[in-house]
Amino acid sequence: MSDQPLTEVIAPAPGERLRALREQRGDDPEELYAIVSGEAFTQMPTDLYIPPDALEVFLETFEGPLDLLLYLIRRQNLDILDIKVAEITRQYMQYIELMTALQWELAAEYLVMAALLAEIKSRMLLPRPSFDLEDEDDPRAQLIRRLQEYERFKSAAEQLDTVPRLERDLFRAYAERPELTRQQVEPEVDLKEVLIALSRVLHRAEMYTRHAVKLEPLSVRERMSDVLARVNDAPEEFVPFVSLFNVREGRLGVIVTFLALMELIRERLIDLVQNGAFAPIYLRAAAN
Amino acid sequence: MLELQRIKQIVEAALLCADEPLTVDLLERLFAEGECDKPTLKSIIESIEEDCAGRGIELKRVASGYRFQVRQELAPWMSRMWEDRPPRYSRAVLETLALIAYKQPVTRGDIEQVRGVAVNSNMVRALLERDWIRVVGYREVPGRPAMYGTTKTFLDYFNLKSLDELPTLPEIRALIEPIEAELAGAGPEYVEGPRVEFPTDTVVVAEEFLETDVEPRAERER
Amino acid sequence: MLELQRIKQIVEAALLCADEPLTVDLLERLFAEGECDKPTLKSIIESIEEDCAGRGIELKRVASGYRFQVRQELAPWMSRMWEDRPPRYSRAVLETLALIAYKQPVTRGDIEQVRGVAVNSNMVRALLERDWIRVVGYREVPGRPAMYGTTKTFLDYFNLKSLDELPTLPEIRALIEPIEAELAGAGPEYVEGPRVEFPTDTVVVAEEFLETDVEPRAERER
């Protein structure tokens, strides 16, 4: 999460430049409206429906044509529904000529609004009967509705700006954390994961080698490890053959141990040693 | 169970060194089996809240849990600690946020419809990155535009427990009285509405507008 | 001069929301002319220190000033807040473990031969440290490579009485194939956790490169 884009996009607040200009000039902030080519406007022109190219500050001050119209209505008591069509058309044409690529997008929205105002006016000039006031499509009704809806959220935004918030009105309280005693957490493994890993690795091995990897019964493999560990851990070099068999394991246990021994011998991991016929048999780790 | 005083120390300390607000559930996880139970935790939290009376900080419950914060009345002194002025948000941001907060879920098209200007996509991205808004779905119209809603982080930032704690959405105000009256036809059946605060003939219109969806959704989207 | 209680609130709040420890000089700067003087500040700090008795935090004087910190004795509880979620073993570790279980006693060389890629010594060490595998002997070939087998701990972890309770290869195939078929459709993240974003076969290699200490196999085994 980075705040960088937010600060870039969100600040400085619009009107900031205007505010700064006002402070700089020491003008009464309420009086000064805009500064165009160094000339102070203390009053908003009442007949301006499209911000002229020169009024850069203007674009920063208003959020768009709805905002501008609201201003004209609320502050200038302007009847936006009764404007001079000729005048707005002239401004419209002039503006298209002056329009720079830079402000095209924003300007477009003002132009649409100017066109709408001109349309309203022209429809009002038509004979009354054809102008149905109850009509859903009445552009005046639509415009008023949009203006009212916009005004509602404009005030909602102003209210939101007064809600106490972090960084300005409230600050989180923190204390330095103590030196943490970190416990090592061991990974958790599901047996299924091990099996999936096995099947995958064997599958892969089959793809790369001629024959399938052979797996002996697991009881034998396990016993091989056990026997090998005993032989390796034994204090003496030789481990008696008989000591590997445990009666309690029964016949099956004996067979498993025997198979394990055979496999260990075949893999040359242990040697069997017998000094003479019928002498005790011993095991030892395979010598090279 | 641990001694109550020890539990209180742990809870207070945890709330002061956590990066984010903590819920009772998260607090409970600090304790080993049998060290503390939920009812105890809740009463401890209350007692910590009471302890804050008269102090410079308060325990506040916001959307994502409890956090300690400096009381608002002390902000003038606190702000002297930092050279930077607190961030200010442009009207475009605040209006967009207000629209998303009050009308969620909304698409960019919905926002543009109300504001009458294009929504800057960098701004939307910045709000998403800040985790103040999130995509809550897509509207099933051509182009499947994303619908946005606010997040807990947004509520936390504005010190709110839930969306209902937002100030109520301002009423629609009468705009151009003569025309509105004319448009409404001043029918008596409308006069009785519950929100009468304006002169009768204008209220009628205002109510009309309140209840009317400006335009069918599908048309607006494109 | 402000009321003492207000000064105390401000000092406490400032110490709790400052990013750095605060000196008495810095604290003094929070106040406007005449609101507070240094001797008052110093006695306020002392009184805040005393208030901390029995609480979860203490006011500590460090080289660069005063700051609140959580008492060290609470570290065991605080640590739980930042406890990492248990890590996961990589596919390479799991394959190594599976091969040791099913083909024990095996050397690293044996495992490498089946896996077709080098086995990182860290992987073996991790399994040894976990006491899931042990060295059961050394193969009497040049280099005397260690042979590994599984342990009692391994059996206990997976709740097995003996190794032959593990399914046989045909059983595994019957068990796994439906899962794998499902995974092929559902996306790979189920099995492998968040890292898998590539087709299966390429991942294996990619992971190997990530985790393998590059050690030529020939050198190691002889």
Side-chain angles (χ1 to χ4, degrees), chain A residues 187-210:
Chain A
E188 276 167 38
V189 180
D190 190 327
L191 184 57
K192 212 186 285 168
E193 293 177 75
V194 180
L195 301 182
I196 289 170
L198 182 75
S199 104
R200 191 182 294 122
V201 71
L202 293 182
H203 178 69
R204 218 165 57 228
E206 279 164 30
M207 292 198 319
Y208 297 121
T209 59
R210 287 285 155 76

Side-chain angles (χ1 to χ4, degrees), chain A residues 63-121:
Chain A
E63 283 298 309
L66 290 175
D67 197 21
L68 169 61
L69 286 185
L70 266 180
Y71 173 86
L72 293 175
I73 296 164
R74 292 266 183 240
R75 301 285 293 271
Q76 308 288 345
N77 290 321
L78 182 78
D79 184 353
I80 53 159
L81 302 183
D82 191 20
I83 51 153
K84 296 187 179 69
V85 180
E87 178 57 22
I88 201 166
T89 311
R90 192 184 56 74
Q91 282 183 25
Y92 189 106
M93 298 311 291
Q94 214 174 37
Y95 201 67
I96 287 178
E97 281 166 29
L98 287 171
M99 206 155 56
T100 60
L102 203 65
Q103 287 160 345
W104 199 89
E105 199 178 320
L106 196 50
E109 286 150 355
Y110 285 96
L111 293 180
V112 168
M113 190 55 66
L116 179 65
L117 291 175
E119 191 206 344
I120 291 172
K121 176 70 183 189

